[in-house]
Amino acid sequence: ASGLESNTIHIDGTLVFGKANINWPRKPNGHVRDCIEIYDSHDITFTSSSYGQGVIDGNGPTWWDYPFVGYAKYLEDRPRILLVRNSRGVLFENLLLKRSPFWTTLFENVNGLEIRDSGIVNRRTPNEGHGILDVSAFNTDGFDVTGKNIWIHDVTIWTQDDCIAIKDGTENVLVERVNATCIGMAIGSIGNSHNRNITFRDIYMHKSIKPIYLKF
């Protein structure tokens, strides 16, 4: 969807996306579309009545496939659960996102984003850690963001890659009161990276591979 103004997307219940298949919607360039795509919009709210009431399930295991086989088959041509691009005034709250095929979310070139009281769970096994089998669900980032004036707080994240990634060209970000595990808190993009005024505080990392990851 594009050109949304002052809209609320309210989810109570569980929204499950389809399995990986050759008929998945694709862009003109042949790559898969994301599960939910929002472009060029403002004053948008994603919410539910309370945390746990609204769940979005990306059906990731059908894309992860057998350990390492799924990655070899699809590489990075897998859908994110949510893409928001070139938008402002975005609130994301009270939602649980689970089993994302690829990065769970990408908020790209947003101005004025708040993510609060939400969770992400991308687990292949119930193990309390990140063994070889667990991390074979490659690239299942949590909240990936670019833009400015961003506040992420009071969230819980279990992924098999970056939990929160502040990507290149981002400024004025506060991340606080986060419980997360895997690669952890990442700043920058591989290559030339310029970010300004990024603050992480009050972060608890449970059995993470690398709690802090600086990419330059």
Side-chain angles (χ1 to χ4, degrees):
S2 64
L4 301 180
E5 300 179 6
S6 302
N7 286 101
T8 297
I9 299 170
H10 189 113
I11 299 172
D12 280 346
T14 300
L15 176 62
V16 183
F17 284 88
K19 297 179 179 180
N21 64 75
I22 61 173
N23 296 317
W24 188 271
R26 293 184 178 271
K27 303 172 186 176
N29 64 9
H31 295 303
V32 297
R33 288 199 172 276
D34 295 315
C35 298
I36 301 171
E37 299 180 353
I38 305 291
Y39 301 94
D40 304 310
S41 299
H42 67 85
D43 301 309
I44 305 300
T45 297
F46 300 86
T47 191
S48 72
S49 297
S50 61
Y51 180 67
Q53 288 283 98
V55 179
I56 305 177
D57 185 339
N59 219 334
T62 68
W63 295 87
W64 307 338
D65 208 333
Y66 294 105
F68 306 103
V69 173
Y71 185 77
K73 179 191 274 187
Y74 298 111
L75 299 177
E76 296 189 352
D77 192 24
R78 293 169 279 151
R80 308 173 186 92
I81 287 181
L82 175 63
L83 168 67
V84 178
R85 178 176 288 154
N86 300 332
S87 297
R88 56 186 170 84
V90 180
L91 172 62
F92 185 96
E93 64 175 5
N94 295 336
L95 291 168
L96 172 62
L97 308 181
K98 59 188 285 189
R99 305 197 309 167
S100 180
F102 188 51
W103 302 352
T104 309
T105 69
L106 175 59
F107 296 89
E108 184 177 33
N109 190 28
V110 295
N111 184 355
L113 166 67
E114 182 178 358
I115 299 171
R116 68 188 184 197
D117 303 317
S118 295
I120 290 175
V121 179
N122 296 325
R123 301 181 71 155
R124 187 186 273 277
T125 76
N127 294 338
E128 286 297 307
H130 301 278
I132 294 297
L133 179 58
D134 301 283
V135 299
S136 66
F138 290 117
N139 303 124
T140 51
D141 291 17
F143 295 112
D144 289 12
V145 300
T146 73
K148 58 186 177 181
N149 305 319
I150 296 166
W151 185 22
I152 302 173
H153 62 99
D154 301 289
V155 296
T156 300
I157 305 166
W158 188 297
T159 71
Q160 308 304 332
D161 209 315
D162 299 343
C163 295
I164 295 176
I166 311 301
K167 294 187 174 294
D168 188 36
T170 301
E171 60 183 72
N172 302 333
V173 177
L174 172 60
V175 179
E176 60 183 343
R177 299 190 298 277
V178 174
N179 188 321
T181 179
C182 197
I183 290 181
M185 306 294 113
I187 300 177
S189 302
I190 296 173
N192 292 327
S193 191
H194 302 277
N195 298 287
R196 186 168 66 87
N197 191 25
I198 312 296
T199 300
F200 290 94
R201 67 188 183 198
D202 196 10
I203 312 292
Y204 175 73
M205 304 295 299
H206 173 71
K207 293 189 176 181
S208 290
I209 296 171
K210 57 173 82 168
I212 300 171
Y213 188 14
L214 301 180
K215 304 179 184 181
F216 299 104

